Amino acid sequence: MEISEHIAVLRRDGDLLAVAAAAAGPDAPVPTCPEWRVRDLVRHAGGVHRWAAAHVAEGRARRIADLDAVVAAWPGDAELVEWFGEGCARLATALEQAPPDLACYSFLPAPSPLAFWARRQAHETAIHRVDAESAVGRVTPFDPEVAADGIDELVMGFVSRPGGRLRSEQPRTLAIVPTDSDSRWRVLIGPDGTRGVREAGEAGCILRGAASDLHLLLWNRRDAGAIEVLGDAGLLESWRSSVQIRWR
């Protein structure tokens, strides 16, 4: 996906998140994030948008340590949704106005820092949109291209970083096969960590289904349901218990 497409996802899913949050109300529990109420989710997402925008708009070379450094004042319940919308719009504008050769902090492989931030914030917002929609009981499926791109970021970026918890004393392989996309991945798991590769091939466990469903499953936002789990189902359980992307 191109930078402009990621920004479009950011704007669209930001709007959907705001609509769902308003419908659910700030006290509603978030089933996909049991430790959160909707106010916690929206504050987190709005804070991350402001955090990301500061790196992009100000060309920050070093990581900003915490959200309080870029949030002037956290909103009360009455201002929550409007405050979130302002932060999402600010981030989208910062990305649109940034120069192609932007130099700033980033933390996953990407063609450029600008490409990194556009992609990361598109998927950050999209996953939290799912969280907000889960609070009202109606989750909008992902477009297959967006879902496949999100899986790719998760597998090739987050899961392939050193220090991950997904490990196995004996080498094991998980294959991810969307039925509505040509993209394919294998996740190679060993005693020293995990590495993703963009290829089809043999695997001890194969996950096959719609890209949207696979994306949600791999982000621990749904159960396997109609997804085909072929082979070692315990490998999927290892993924679900070990791959948990959290704010640090």
Side-chain angles (χ1 to χ4, degrees):
M1 292 177 63
E2 300 295 328
I3 290 172
S4 60
E5 294 173 308
H6 284 129
I7 297 172
V9 171
L10 166 65
R11 288 190 181 276
R12 180 177 66 248
D13 281 81
D15 287 345
L16 290 173
L17 192 160
V19 168
D27 284 321
V30 180
T32 51
C33 301
E35 70 276 19
W36 275 352
R37 300 283 173 168
V38 165
R39 71 167 57 81
D40 304 310
L41 167 66
V42 176
R43 286 178 177 174
H44 168 79
V48 169
H49 284 165
R50 286 161 171 80
W51 177 80
H55 289 93
V56 172
E58 301 169 20
R60 297 282 192 108
R62 301 183 66 177
R63 181 182 184 273
I64 299 169
D66 59 68
L67 301 186
D68 287 333
V70 292
V71 177
W74 293 95
D77 289 350
E79 300 83 31
L80 195 62
V81 173
E82 182 179 0
W83 174 86
F84 169 81
E86 289 171 355
C88 188
R90 184 187 306 174
L91 172 59
T93 299
L95 292 166
E96 289 166 343
Q97 295 181 350
D101 60 351
L102 171 71
C104 70
Y105 166 80
S106 60
F107 59 87
L108 292 178
S112 69
L114 180 57
F116 160 78
W117 282 109
R119 187 192 207 194
R120 176 78 293 273
Q121 290 307 302
H123 293 305
E124 172 84 5
T125 306
I127 284 295
H128 286 319
R129 179 268 295 171
V130 169
D131 295 331
E133 289 183 335
S134 77
V136 293
R138 298 185 303 275
V139 173
T140 306
F142 287 101
D143 177 87
E145 183 182 19
V146 174
D149 190 71
I151 295 169
D152 189 81
E153 184 200 44
L154 180 60
V155 169
M156 305 303 297
F158 284 110
V159 174
S160 294
R161 291 191 297 179
R165 294 173 54 212
L166 182 58
R167 296 167 183 263
S168 173
E169 288 300 318
Q170 298 299 319
R172 303 165 81 187
T173 303
L174 174 70
I176 303 163
V177 183
T179 54
D180 50 359
S181 168
D182 293 332
S183 298
R184 298 289 184 269
W185 301 269
R186 290 201 305 154
V187 183
L188 311 178
I189 307 161
D192 298 322
T194 300
R195 180 171 63 92
V197 290
R198 297 183 182 102
E199 65 182 23
E202 294 183 0
C205 179
I206 300 172
L207 305 179
R208 181 180 288 119
S212 179
D213 291 336
L214 290 170
H215 185 35
L216 292 172
L217 175 68
L218 294 170
W219 271 97
N220 289 321
R221 261 53 181 196
R222 60 157 295 165
D223 57 23
I227 294 169
E228 282 189 277
V229 182
L230 306 175
D232 181 8
L235 189 48
L236 173 59
E237 293 310 310
S238 295
W239 173 289
R240 290 173 66 81
S241 63
S242 301
V243 179
Q244 297 174 358
I245 312 302
R246 297 181 181 275
W247 171 264
R248 296 180 181 178

